[in-house]
């Protein structure tokens, strides 16, 4: 205070002693002190496994004051990510048991005693739950985390065609899932379609990935993806049955092999013409490569892989029922979770000449037979079997079986749908859980060819989803295996 008075007096005297009049007074500027916001240190990326707890740390300091609050929040990602044990600079995060890759952004904000704040973000990449060992790399494993897409909006090419044969993978090697479509009109050959995915979840049609853009089928029925030549790239096997009218001449299946940036014709399969409806890929003969089963009405067969993507026709270990009776739908998955791939097959249950719907249990060999099998119960009036899916929906360690069905019989052939819900008991019998799924049967709505079990709402349980968002048919799981439409 004393120094300020002296300076003011000096200014006053200098002013009064002027012979030229008064000078304007000069005020001493008061320095402005700018508050500095807090500083934060936060690791930018974390990699964690689903079902674990991860701890984050963000040391904070303030050079000219005090940090009075630190706030953590989820700014992007599923709502099921739970923040807990918040102790300011450190926080624990309970990572749910996600089935697919999930990315979450966490933000921390530090605020000081003058209300200045600083924030920092970190990205948590969650590795999903491991697959069952027997299903790793199979065509069935592709379905779990495939994108949920409106097929009508997606398909800018040949929209007048039906398109039941879709499959999903990163076909152009850019880290984003693409969608392959084989469509048809049952009269002439239609070229295959590829829709390339982007970060914004938009899809762009192209034929640039096909070495031969003219390749296609008359009536494609199913497309499956696996790495058939063991080069780390996804290949495609397309199953078609040709003209869907007497005398049902059939057509040949097509194998497309990937080089990482293009799909080219694989082994010539024109010798195997049939009324092919279904197929699946897994290691049937336990030699560490992906084989194929083809349901072609009567005379279904295996294509056994030599590891390079070259297949040998084989019926030796095909169940006799699938050779003598028409089988139209098949799947390879580990239904009883014993480490061996099981073979599920079905057709049209409404005539005595057709085979029953059945599970042939895998036993560590490539031999499947009626001696180790379980019949799947019939649903009256819905006896066209189209698809099989399996997963533990109620968390009790036993996998549920979902069977997709359409109307069967002369009066309602392919009319309406039924979603069959069964639990696989430890003794390989089935428990009917139909009361736990709401609106599972419709006699009036259109049938659909496939269902997927996936965690569509990212709440760490499996839901039942029709693989076409245009249908908006989803049964959400409450975590206890009860499915609400």
């Amino acid at each position: 205070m004393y120094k300020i008075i002296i300076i003011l007096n000096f200014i006053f005297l200098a002013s009064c002693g002027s012979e030229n009049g008064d000078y304007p007074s000069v005020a001493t500027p008061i320095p402005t002190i700018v508050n500095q916001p807090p500083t934060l240190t936060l690791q930018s990326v974390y990699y964690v496994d689903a079902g674990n707890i991860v701890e984050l740390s963000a040391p904070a300091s303030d050079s000219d004051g005090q940090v009075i609050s630190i706030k953590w929040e989820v700014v992007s990602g599923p709502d099921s990510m739970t923040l807990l044990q918040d102790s300011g600079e450190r926080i624990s995060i309970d990572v749910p048991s996600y089935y697919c890759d999930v990315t979450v952004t966490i933000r921390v904000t530090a605020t000081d005693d003058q209300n200045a704040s600083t924030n920092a973000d970190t990205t948590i990449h969650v590795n999903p739950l491991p697959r069952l060992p027997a299903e790793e790399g199979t065509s069935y494993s592709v379905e779990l985390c495939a994108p949920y897409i409106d097929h009508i909006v997606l398909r800018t090419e040949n929209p007048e065609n039906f398109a039941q044969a879709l499959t999903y993978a990163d076909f152009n090697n850019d880290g984003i899932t693409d969608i392959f479509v084989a469509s048809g009109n049952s009269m002439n050959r239609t070229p295959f379609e590829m829709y390339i995915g982007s970060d914004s979840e938009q899809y762009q049609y192209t034929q640039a990935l096909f070495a031969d853009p003219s390749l296609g089928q008359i009536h494609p029925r199913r497309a499956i993806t696996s790495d058939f030549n063991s080069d780390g790239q996804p290949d495609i096997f397309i199953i078609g049955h040709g003209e869907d009218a007497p005398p049902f001449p059939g057509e040949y299946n097509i194998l497309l092999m990937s080089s990482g940036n293009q799909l080219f014709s694989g082994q010539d399969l024109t010798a195997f013409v049939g009324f092919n409806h279904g197929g699946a890929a897994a290691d049937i003969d336990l030699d560490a490569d992906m084989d194929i089963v083809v349901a072609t009405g009567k005379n279904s067969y295996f294509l056994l892989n030599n590891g390079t993507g070259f297949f040998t026709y084989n019926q030796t270990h095909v169940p006799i029922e699938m050779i003598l009776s028409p089988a139209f739908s098949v799947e390879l998955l580990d239904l009883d979770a014993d480490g061996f791939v099981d073979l599920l097959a079905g057709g049209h249950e409404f005539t005595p000449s057709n085979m029953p719907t059945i599970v042939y249990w895998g036993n560590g060999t490539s031999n499947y037979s009626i001696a180790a099998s379980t019949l799947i119960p019939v649903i009256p009036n819905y006896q066209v079997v189209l698809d099989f899916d399996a997963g533990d929906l109620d968390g009790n360690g036993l996998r549920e079986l979902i069977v997709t069905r359409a109307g069967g019989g002369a009066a309602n052939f392919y009319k309406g749908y039924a979603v069959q819900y069964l639990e696989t008991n430890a003794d390989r019998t089935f428990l009917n859980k139909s009361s736990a799924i709401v609106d599972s049967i419709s006699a009036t709505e259109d049938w659909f060819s496939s269902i997927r079990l996936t965690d569509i709402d990212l709440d760490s349980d499996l839901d039942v989803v029709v693989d076409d968002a245009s249908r908006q048919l989803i049964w959400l799981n409450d975590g206890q295996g009860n499915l609400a439409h």
Side-chain angles (χ1 to χ4, degrees):
M1 186 67 182
Y2 178 69
K3 290 182 179 180
I4 295 174
I5 292 172
I6 291 174
I7 293 170
L8 289 175
N9 285 338
F10 172 78
I11 294 171
F12 175 75
L13 291 173
S15 175
C16 291
S18 171
E19 296 180 357
N20 299 320
D22 293 338
Y23 291 106
S25 298
V26 178
T28 300
I30 299 174
T32 301
I33 300 175
V34 178
N35 179 46
Q36 297 300 312
T39 59
L40 279 169
T41 303
L42 179 63
Q43 185 173 315
S44 61
V45 179
Y46 287 81
Y47 295 91
V48 301
D49 293 331
N52 289 325
I53 291 177
V54 60
E55 292 188 353
L56 275 59
S57 175
S61 61
D62 190 53
S63 61
D64 55 359
Q66 293 182 329
V67 176
I68 61 171
S69 71
I70 296 179
K71 178 186 176 183
W72 298 83
E73 59 183 328
V74 178
V75 294
S76 69
D79 295 335
S80 52
M81 185 73 75
T82 303
L83 306 183
L84 43 86
Q85 297 178 3
D86 185 349
S87 60
E89 293 183 346
R90 301 180 67 86
I91 193 169
S92 296
I93 299 177
D94 188 4
V95 181
S97 297
Y98 295 123
Y99 290 88
C100 303
D101 292 318
V102 170
T103 300
V104 182
T105 301
I106 304 291
R107 177 168 296 162
V108 59
T109 303
T111 304
D112 67 13
D113 50 3
Q114 296 193 51
N115 206 34
S117 63
T118 300
N119 58 55
D121 291 353
T122 186
T123 301
I124 300 177
H125 295 279
V126 182
N127 301 315
L129 292 172
R131 306 287 173 86
L132 291 178
E135 292 180 3
E136 192 67 43
T138 65
S139 60
Y140 181 68
S141 68
V142 172
E143 299 182 18
L144 179 62
C145 299
Y148 182 56
I149 295 296
D150 184 320
H151 293 182
I152 296 175
V153 173
L154 170 74
R155 296 189 58 248
T156 58
E157 300 300 308
N158 310 306
E160 71 283 357
N161 284 5
F162 47 76
Q164 296 154 352
L166 286 83
T167 191
Y168 312 87
D170 178 14
F171 294 111
N172 66 342
N173 217 20
D174 66 352
I176 302 172
T177 299
D178 311 305
I179 303 176
F180 169 86
V181 180
S183 72
N185 57 22
S186 197
M187 294 179 293
N188 42 50
R189 200 170 298 278
T190 302
F192 297 139
E193 305 161 26
M194 182 66 74
Y195 296 89
I196 300 298
S198 68
D199 285 330
S200 59
E201 297 184 356
Q202 300 297 312
Y203 294 87
Q204 182 67 44
Y205 166 76
T206 183
Q207 281 195 300
L209 260 64
F210 300 118
D212 181 356
S214 68
L215 281 178
Q217 288 181 322
I218 296 169
H219 195 141
R221 198 55 190 260
R222 187 170 174 83
I224 59 175
T225 295
S226 189
D227 180 9
F228 294 119
N229 60 353
S230 307
D231 67 349
Q233 302 295 334
D235 310 309
I236 310 174
F237 185 76
I238 308 99
I239 300 150
H241 62 56
E243 187 178 352
D244 197 8
F248 303 103
E251 66 178 316
Y252 56 87
N253 302 319
I254 294 177
L255 178 65
L256 296 178
M257 309 300 290
S258 174
S259 64
N261 55 21
Q262 197 166 52
L263 290 158
F264 57 92
S265 296
Q267 181 179 351
D268 184 356
L269 301 173
T270 54
F272 307 119
V273 172
F275 199 55
N276 310 299
H277 272 67
D283 187 6
I284 294 171
D285 56 2
L286 304 176
D287 63 350
D289 55 35
M290 294 293 114
D291 310 299
I292 298 172
V293 58
V294 179
T296 182
K298 293 183 179 180
N299 288 309
S300 294
Y301 56 91
F302 291 158
L303 291 174
L304 299 182
N305 193 348
N306 71 352
T308 69
F310 183 85
F311 295 88
T312 301
Y313 178 92
N314 181 287
Q315 283 189 312
T316 303
H317 300 301
V318 177
I320 191 64
E321 296 79 24
M322 294 180 64
I323 296 174
L324 299 179
S325 303
F328 297 115
S329 299
V330 290
E331 189 58 87
L332 292 166
L333 50 80
D334 188 2
L335 182 57
D336 57 355
D338 67 347
F340 304 119
V341 172
D342 306 309
L343 172 62
L344 290 74
H348 301 162
E349 300 167 332
F350 51 87
T351 59
S353 62
N354 281 285
M355 66 173 293
T357 308
I358 194 167
V359 180
Y360 298 98
W361 302 103
N363 59 6
T365 73
S366 56
N367 185 42
Y368 295 93
S369 74
I370 195 71
S373 67
T374 303
L375 294 179
I376 296 172
V378 173
I379 294 184
N381 300 319
Y382 296 90
Q383 295 157 297
V384 172
V385 175
L386 298 167
D387 194 24
F388 303 96
D389 293 271
D392 184 5
L393 278 75
D394 57 10
N396 69 350
L398 300 173
R399 301 187 93 188
E400 277 72 37
L401 173 63
I402 303 293
V403 183
T404 300
R405 295 171 171 271
N412 63 332
F413 190 53
Y414 275 92
K415 293 181 180 178
Y417 65 77
V419 180
Q420 189 173 18
Y421 188 23
L422 305 166
E423 181 165 85
T424 310
N425 295 320
D427 63 356
R428 292 178 168 174
T429 60
F430 293 114
L431 172 67
N432 187 358
K433 298 186 70 171
S434 58
S435 62
I437 181 168
V438 176
D439 297 331
S440 62
I441 295 178
S442 173
T444 57
E445 293 190 46
D446 289 340
W447 64 282
F448 43 83
S449 59
S450 63
I451 264 179
R452 286 196 281 121
L453 302 189
T454 187
D455 186 7
I456 194 73
D457 54 359
L458 293 176
D459 63 351
S460 69
D461 56 38
L462 290 172
D463 309 301
V464 176
V465 179
V466 172
D467 188 26
D468 181 356
S470 70
R471 296 297 302 269
Q472 287 298 298
L473 284 174
I474 298 174
W475 288 266
L476 292 178
N477 192 347
D478 67 354
Q480 306 298 314
N482 301 304
L483 302 170
H485 182 206

